[in-house]
Amino acid sequence: HFASKFAVGKALHDEFWPRLFEIYRGLSDIGVPAEAAFARWVGTLLDFYRSEKTLVVAFQQMMVIEPDFEPTLNVVSLEVIKTLAASSPMLGCLMEESRRGRRARVDARLLLEQLDDFCYAAVAHDWMDDVEDGIRIMARNLRRLVEDLAEDAPMSDTAPDRRKARAARRS
């Protein structure tokens, strides 16, 4: 029924990524960028990777040996970034067609890559002595990204959100 191994992998990914996307959509539910909330979210993402270990490993291998798989991953990353941009005025700059918007997208894309690498390594290679430390580090990086993007946002649009974010960091 499939023309190639890649076609099988692509079909599996087409079923997989909407479920992964739902987890990423949960990031938009984190109103105030508190590290503890991001840590819970990273834990949820890691649990999903664990539950789908076989597919995660297969997709990682596809990425290496199938050049046609890269555009698929680019679409997924862009959709995640669009969702984040729509979730908060602080993150709206992610979709701006400006130098600031391009830089924000690069920043977000690099963090998404780091998150994927962390989850993959923790699940496929079990290389971490303490996954909880990794979760805390990833949560810190997510918080920093949101804070950096919020600081670059026009103050009039996000002043209340920034005050909440600063208060949350202190708690």
Side-chain angles (χ1 to χ4, degrees):
H1 295 86
F2 293 95
S4 65
K5 288 180 186 176
F6 174 70
V8 172
K10 178 78 169 76
L12 289 170
H13 190 266
D14 289 347
E15 292 179 14
F16 171 87
W17 98 265
R19 293 182 290 131
L20 176 63
F21 189 68
E22 281 304 312
I23 294 169
Y24 273 101
R25 196 172 287 149
L27 270 175
S28 63
D29 295 336
I30 300 173
V32 176
E35 216 162 287
F38 284 130
R40 284 189 298 278
W41 180 86
V42 172
T44 299
L45 180 65
L46 187 56
D47 288 344
F48 178 75
Y49 270 63
R50 285 181 180 129
S51 73
E52 300 292 342
K53 179 179 178 177
T54 302
L55 287 176
V56 167
V57 170
F59 297 147
Q60 190 76 11
Q61 292 172 358
M62 279 177 56
M63 194 167 57
V64 172
I65 62 173
E66 293 289 348
D68 291 338
F69 192 53
E70 187 65 29
T72 299
L73 298 178
N74 289 335
V75 168
V76 171
S77 292
L78 183 58
E79 288 303 314
V80 169
I81 290 170
K82 284 180 183 177
T83 298
L84 294 176
S87 71
S88 164
M90 290 188 297
L91 303 179
C93 66
L94 284 167
M95 297 315 298
E96 288 179 5
E97 289 304 323
S98 64
R99 181 171 164 22
R100 177 178 84 150
R102 287 188 300 277
R103 183 181 179 280
R105 284 190 298 281
V106 168
D107 217 355
R109 177 69 188 266
L110 288 172
L111 183 59
L112 292 174
E113 294 286 337
Q114 184 182 40
L115 214 77
D116 181 62
D117 287 347
F118 162 71
C119 290
Y120 178 79
V123 169
H125 300 298
D126 198 29
W127 63 270
M128 295 199 182
D129 293 331
D130 187 356
V131 172
E132 292 303 314
D133 284 338
I135 289 172
R136 283 189 291 278
I137 290 166
M138 291 309 309
R140 180 195 64 205
N141 293 351
L142 278 164
R143 178 185 50 80
R144 285 180 180 167
L145 174 69
V146 171
E147 288 173 356
D148 288 351
L149 295 179
E151 286 178 16
D152 287 344
M155 188 59 118
S156 60
D157 292 344
T158 61
D161 291 333
R162 286 191 204 174
R163 282 192 288 275
K164 288 179 193 174
R166 288 184 188 119
R169 282 194 306 273
R170 286 187 219 113
S171 59

